[in-house]
Amino acid sequence: MVGLLGFVALAWRPAIPEVATPLPSSFSADLLARGATLASVGYCSTCHSVKGGQLFAGGYAMKSPFGTLYSTNITPDRETGIGAWSKDAFRRAMHEGVARDGSHLFPGFPYDHFTKISDDDVDAIYAFLMTQPAVHAPAHPNELMFPLGIRALQAGWKLLFFRSGRFEPSTDHDAQWNRGAYIAEALSHCSACHTPRNPLGAEWGGASRYTGASVDGWFAPAITAANPSPIPWTPDELRAYLFQGLSRFHGTPSGPMSPAAHGLTALSISDQDALVTYIASLRGGNAPPQAVADAITRALDVSAANTGRQIDPDARFYVEACASCHYNGRAGINPSRPDLALNSAVHLADSANLIRVILFGIDAPEGAGGVVMPAFGPGFSDAEVARIAAYLRRTRTNEPPWPNLEKTVGKIRAQGKGEG
Ligand code: HEC
Ligand code: HEC
Ligand code: HEC
């Protein structure tokens, strides 16, 4: 009984009274422009909109082992959105994961990262959202496993895994690195996808950070020294991949990384440099130039071996299906559609990224503007997709073969491309 009362006391948060919706004219143009950038870099619209729906009106389904959670309406509609929320109520949601009415929010809303956003930046996001068109859109009921849907129980999760607090710069690093860390950790929550989670859905800390994790049927690769790309990431390639949507060695951001990269393009050049400085530091700095040169030579050798007459029927199949686009010249890497020897997708322990790209292709809005790859799912059987994947794995990497490929292809085909 005492324990229960204690828990109720722990879980209880007061409601914050409704206020009049602030007038757009009460915010300065500067503040609104900053809010728009911050919202883009925090991917608010990615999770708070559905394909073809109105921006920020919610309803986006987040599937997890615990069931499906739906994002809510964060437009300034008074009844179904956050139009009656004060600045303080909004700050409490972002920093503590508590809604205006006092109920606990689920950590599918990444408040464990947003808690690190400065008060000033949260206020700018508030101003930006309050000036968006109000949309009447009631929340979609969540489909979470009992008893996980009980909001008060989130207080227990918070006690175990959540520490509220603004970003604190590290004195071991310079201002640029700290700025990058703030963008990555507080706003862009890169680790929400790139860090594996414990059985209760919280990110592992310490040496596990950024070592790669499954997300929405994709695998977000390690972006530490454990990254599987044969060519180590350099600051230049990170810049090209994250902000131009195409790295000549590593390909294009697809799947859930595609909207993330689009969001980042709102960053100023100096903030882009800061983010790259921080992310590059996760893998212990620059790759030695020789390591890059050696990997390029190996990749060119693989493609050269593919230009003669093909005896291997798998190689012939690959040439017919893929090599019209993915090939290297003898003298250098094809900058926009390189041979796949260099891509993480063929080197990862998880085959999902490669299979998804083959089945569903790459749409124009993903990756670099206008870059597209056709979907092979409609034309190829599961066995044919598996055959190409197995062939690439066998000839382009030194990794062990993927087990049960054909079954995996069937499973991913049944899941479909998803919202991302
Ligand atoms: C990874 C997906 C994701 C991202 C990114 C995200 N949200 Fe959310 N957000 C959610 C989900 C899911 C909920 C609903 C949580 C719940 O019902 O407990 C939510 C709830 C909220 C709420 C509470 C609204 C209410 O009705 O109680 C606010 C405020 C909010 N988000 C603001 C933002 C802002 C601002 C950003 C961008 C800086 C953002 N969110 C980015 C998933 C996300
Ligand atoms: C919503 C989930 C999500 C978020 C947020 C996210 N990523 Fe990713 N990331 C992925 C996925 C999935 C992939 C694999 C995409 C592919 O294969 O095309 C990926 C790929 C990458 C890669 C390429 C790795 C490789 O070896 O090919 C880099 C680098 C990267 N992300 C950096 C970042 C950074 C930096 C941030 C934050 C600014 C970030 N990501 C935020 C999901 C995410
Ligand atoms: C009509 C041209 C075209 C064909 C044919 C094609 N691709 Fe692609 N593919 C592209 C483009 C463009 C990209 C994006 C640029 C990049 O990542 O290199 C891409 C990217 C990829 C990626 C990297 C995705 C990422 O997340 O970085 C993989 C893996 C891939 N293709 C596999 C294949 C396979 C396997 C085949 C044959 C079944 C194939 N492609 C056929 C054009 C094509």
Side-chain angles (χ1 to χ4, degrees):
M1 194 60 199
V2 172
L4 189 69
L5 282 177
F7 186 78
V8 169
L10 173 85
W12 188 79
R13 296 287 183 284
I16 295 178
E18 296 198 346
V19 295
T21 314
L23 292 173
S25 58
S26 63
F27 303 116
S28 74
D30 264 9
L31 185 70
L32 291 176
R34 206 154 58 81
T37 300
L38 295 163
S40 173
V41 176
Y43 316 138
C44 316
S45 71
T46 306
C47 282
H48 282 277
S49 317
V50 291
K51 238 187 200 147
Q54 277 165 297
L55 277 185
F56 305 113
Y60 176 87
M62 293 180 73
K63 296 198 179 74
S64 75
F66 314 110
T68 305
L69 177 68
Y70 291 87
S71 71
T72 48
N73 180 351
I74 54 169
T75 73
D77 183 57
R78 290 190 64 82
E79 198 190 322
T80 62
I82 60 169
W85 289 37
S86 63
K87 203 158 75 175
D88 285 341
F90 186 75
R91 271 196 198 174
R92 186 175 68 171
M94 296 289 282
H95 285 156
E96 315 293 335
V98 175
R100 189 198 62 77
D101 66 5
S103 56
H104 289 280
L105 294 163
F106 296 108
F109 168 44
Y111 65 83
D112 52 337
H113 291 276
F114 294 160
T115 189
K116 300 190 181 107
I117 303 179
S118 70
D119 290 351
D120 278 359
D121 281 354
V122 170
D123 292 352
I125 298 172
Y126 174 79
F128 168 73
L129 288 174
M130 286 299 170
T131 54
Q132 297 304 297
V135 180
H136 185 88
H140 190 297
N142 294 320
E143 292 139 15
L144 298 170
M145 267 161 32
F146 182 80
L148 301 176
I150 300 173
R151 288 189 179 272
L153 292 183
Q154 291 306 313
W157 192 90
K158 286 179 176 173
L159 199 62
L160 290 171
F161 303 119
F162 174 64
R163 297 293 164 267
S164 166
R166 307 303 84 79
F167 176 78
E168 277 177 32
S170 154
T171 48
D172 296 342
H173 295 279
D174 64 10
Q176 190 189 43
W177 184 95
N178 275 300
R179 177 69 188 160
Y182 174 71
I183 296 166
E185 303 295 341
L187 281 163
S188 300
H189 53 278
C190 315
S191 80
C193 293
H194 285 273
T195 295
R197 291 175 185 265
N198 71 22
L200 290 172
E203 290 171 33
W204 287 111
S208 298
R209 295 203 358 107
Y210 292 112
T211 54
S214 291
V215 48
D216 293 344
W218 289 74
F219 193 84
I223 48 176
T224 61
N227 181 271
S229 311
I231 298 192
W233 287 86
T234 59
D236 279 350
E237 296 312 318
L238 279 171
R239 204 172 277 115
Y241 182 86
L242 293 172
F243 313 121
Q244 275 101 55
L246 187 64
S247 149
R248 66 203 156 125
F249 300 143
H250 304 279
T252 204
S254 27
M257 189 59 208
S258 162
H262 281 282
L264 295 175
T265 55
L267 288 171
S268 67
I269 299 293
S270 69
D271 277 352
Q272 292 184 357
D273 289 344
L275 180 61
V276 163
T277 299
Y278 175 70
I279 297 295
S281 79
L282 296 174
R283 51 165 306 117
N286 277 352
Q290 195 51 45
V292 176
D294 290 350
I296 292 175
T297 309
R298 275 198 309 275
L300 289 175
D301 285 350
V302 180
S303 334
N306 278 317
T307 50
R309 262 196 75 198
Q310 302 294 332
I311 309 297
D312 176 353
D314 290 343
R316 276 216 303 267
F317 188 38
Y318 172 80
V319 167
E320 285 162 13
C322 316
S324 55
C325 290
H326 294 289
Y327 64 96
N328 292 326
R330 277 178 200 283
I333 303 284
N334 176 353
S336 57
R337 291 176 296 200
D339 182 272
L340 297 169
L342 298 174
N343 200 280
S344 284
V346 297
H347 293 270
L348 286 166
D350 187 329
S351 56
N353 292 8
L354 178 60
I355 293 173
R356 283 192 171 273
V357 169
I358 302 177
L359 280 177
F360 306 121
I362 299 179
D363 286 344
E366 297 175 46
V371 166
V372 292
M373 167 167 151
F376 288 86
F380 283 5
S381 67
D382 293 353
E384 285 168 328
V385 173
R387 183 174 163 200
I388 289 193
Y391 162 74
L392 284 170
R393 184 77 164 175
R394 177 162 55 80
T395 53
R396 302 302 197 271
T397 79
N398 298 318
E399 306 295 332
W402 283 308
N404 303 322
L405 260 179
E406 193 177 332
K407 255 178 72 187
T408 312
V409 175
K411 229 173 70 190
I412 293 179
R413 189 195 290 274
Q415 285 166 1
K417 182 165 177 164
E419 290 202 71

